[in-house]
Amino acid sequence: MNTRLIISLLLFVSLFIETSLVAFPFIFILSVITYILFPDLKTFMTVFLIGLGLDILKASPVGATPLVIFSSFSLLDLVRRVFELKDYKIIILILFIMSLIYSKVFSYTDNLLIYILLFGGSLGFISYFYKKSLW
Amino acid sequence: MKRRMSILILALLLFSLLIFLNNNFPPVKFFSSVVQNIFATPKAFIYGLRTNKDSLSDSEIKKLRGENEKLRKKLVDFERMKRDNEALRSQFETQDTKQYRLLPSRVIGFLGRVTSPTTLVIDRGEGDGVKSGMAAVYENNLVGKVNKVSPSYSQVALANNSISSLVGVTSEGNVPGLVIGQEDFILFDRVAVSEKVLGGETILTKGEINDEGFGIPPNLIIGRVSSVNKNESLPYQSAKVENALQFLRLDTVFIVLGL
């Protein structure tokens, strides 16, 4: 099945899950993953609209989430250019740190164990099934 | 190609900043209102899946919890009547019974930890007359204070939120102190060391009404003292307070619109 379609559906479902069932930054993490896999205009527009939707549904100042997400994209680009990153392990580590900071700033769950399990599991999954560099 | 991507990211970043700085712009408010109204019911349904866990718990435990709550309320009423009686006799103070204008609101989301949320999202906003600083209550318990308001939704900072700070008093001795949220519990701080705070005592709101006529009404239950930290050599003592309510179980709260 189309990976992009799956991620877009997950982004949309996360709109409901994120502030109603589990306070975990799914949208932030999925947005950055989408940008890494598909850095194009469609991704930017999807992320922008989903970010606005998240702010509206959280009753937060509208525009804060897209602002942070696009800043993260710029930061990721900068790190990639400066350090010439290609290894997915480093990307997952950067994503781990960014999501921890994001969750602390935006009052999501900050249980370190959950993040370690999630990112450690992702690292193991990618190491086993998907061994190419992403950039 | 990469330069074009960078320009696109920068453009969207600036556009997001523009929206962020102009939240009161009518098109932004209109768009927010439409989206919030459309998604209010599905969000309430999804949030209801969390709170309905209670239906699986033991009926005996539920019955005991209900009885405990009733007894706690009776104790607070008794202490207040005792003080009223003394006040009437000494003609020193009086106490009114006020009618509050309440707005029922569905809880449709939360922020914070899964096991101890610090903020609730409700389906009432500016359009329903909700303003920042209004109290959210459930029965005679304080849930929290409205801190962010959008066209159709609002955020309620719970009493255990680190930004929450209000004046409270003990139910028995009427000892004043500062009630500060500490994420996992509530701290009853800045209590003079000469005063007596007992374990198990109930902490009530003192009442903070602004000049517009809304705020935190008095005599709402905040929680129960679980432990006291007292050092005679320090000017103040503090107490750890456990929430009176299980915030995870709340699916309806009432906003106090005015007195």
Side-chain angles (χ1 to χ4, degrees), chain B:
Chain B
M1 177 72 175
K2 284 181 183 155
R3 192 192 156 99
R4 191 169 158 252
M5 286 296 130
S6 302
I7 292 169
L8 267 169
I9 290 174
L10 191 64
L12 284 167
L13 208 144
L14 286 171
F15 189 51
S16 306
L17 183 65
L18 200 67
I19 295 173
F20 179 73
L21 295 173
N22 291 287
N23 262 217
N24 290 328
F25 199 46
V28 175
K29 282 185 136 179
F30 174 73
F31 181 65
S32 300
S33 174
V34 166
V35 171
Q36 284 173 351
N37 284 327
I38 290 169
F39 287 98
T41 306
K43 272 181 75 72
F45 172 72
I46 292 167
Y47 188 78
L49 296 175
R50 272 175 59 90
T51 55
N52 279 341
K53 278 188 293 186
D54 211 16
S55 60
L56 302 171
S57 60
D58 190 13
S59 58
E60 188 63 32
I61 293 171
K62 274 171 74 176
K63 191 180 161 194
L64 285 169
R65 238 182 236 150
E67 281 173 11
N68 197 15
E69 184 61 33
K70 277 182 198 161
L71 284 169
R72 202 177 292 158
K73 187 179 180 302
K74 279 189 177 159
L75 185 64
V76 169
D77 288 342
F78 167 71
E79 291 296 333
R80 195 169 61 211
M81 276 194 294
K82 195 173 143 191
R83 280 203 310 275
D84 279 349
N85 203 10
E86 284 166 6
L88 280 169
R89 278 187 192 162
S90 67
Q91 291 182 335
F92 186 67
E93 60 181 61
T94 58
Q95 191 164 24
D96 305 340
T97 304
K98 296 186 191 295
Q99 294 291 328
Y100 305 132
R101 286 188 297 125
L102 299 176
L103 177 69
S105 316
R106 278 188 306 189
V107 179
I108 56 172
F110 74 100
L111 294 170
R113 292 186 194 141
V114 175
T115 49
S116 62
T118 55
T119 307
L120 295 180
V121 180
I122 58 172
D123 67 345
R124 301 287 190 181
E126 270 173 8
D128 305 292
V130 177
K131 290 180 187 171
S132 182
M134 285 182 173
V137 302
Y138 182 76
E139 291 177 354
N140 64 332
N141 300 290
L142 177 73
V143 174
K145 196 157 73 168
V146 175
N147 71 325
K148 281 183 191 162
V149 186
S150 67
S152 300
Y153 291 177
S154 299
Q155 282 188 8
V156 173
L158 300 176
N160 62 333
N161 194 318
S162 55
I163 63 166
S164 173
S165 170
L166 55 117
V167 181
V169 292
T170 58
S171 56
E172 287 180 24
N174 208 25
V175 173
L178 202 56
V179 177
I180 306 168
Q182 301 285 310
E183 306 283 330
D184 294 320
F185 61 94
I186 300 166
L187 188 68
F188 186 51
D189 202 5
R190 297 280 169 177
V191 181
V193 73
S194 54
E195 301 282 7
K196 208 170 179 185
V197 178
L198 303 168
E201 212 172 349
T202 305
I203 305 296
L204 307 174
T205 56
K206 180 139 175 89
E208 294 165 23
I209 306 298
N210 62 16
D211 48 10
E212 285 182 63
F214 63 82
I216 312 283
N219 298 316
L220 293 174
I221 298 173
I222 298 171
R224 199 167 52 90
V225 173
S226 59
S227 62
V228 181
N229 180 19
K230 187 173 181 175
N231 187 341
E232 297 289 344
S233 58
L234 296 172
Y236 296 113
Q237 60 180 311
S238 61
K240 190 175 166 185
V241 178
E242 278 175 6
N243 293 330
L245 291 172
Q246 288 196 318
F247 296 127
L248 283 173
R249 302 276 183 250
L250 285 177
D251 53 11
T252 305
V253 296
F254 296 86
I255 303 298
V256 180
L257 294 176
L259 301 172

Side-chain angles (χ1 to χ4, degrees), chain A residues 110-135:
Chain A
D110 55 1
N111 189 329
L112 191 59
L113 185 61
I114 294 174
Y115 285 87
I116 290 172
L117 284 172
L118 177 69
F119 283 91
S122 309
L123 186 62
F125 180 80
I126 295 171
S127 302
Y128 191 76
F129 288 105
Y130 190 76
K131 290 181 181 173
K132 288 195 275 185
S133 61
L134 288 163
W135 276 320

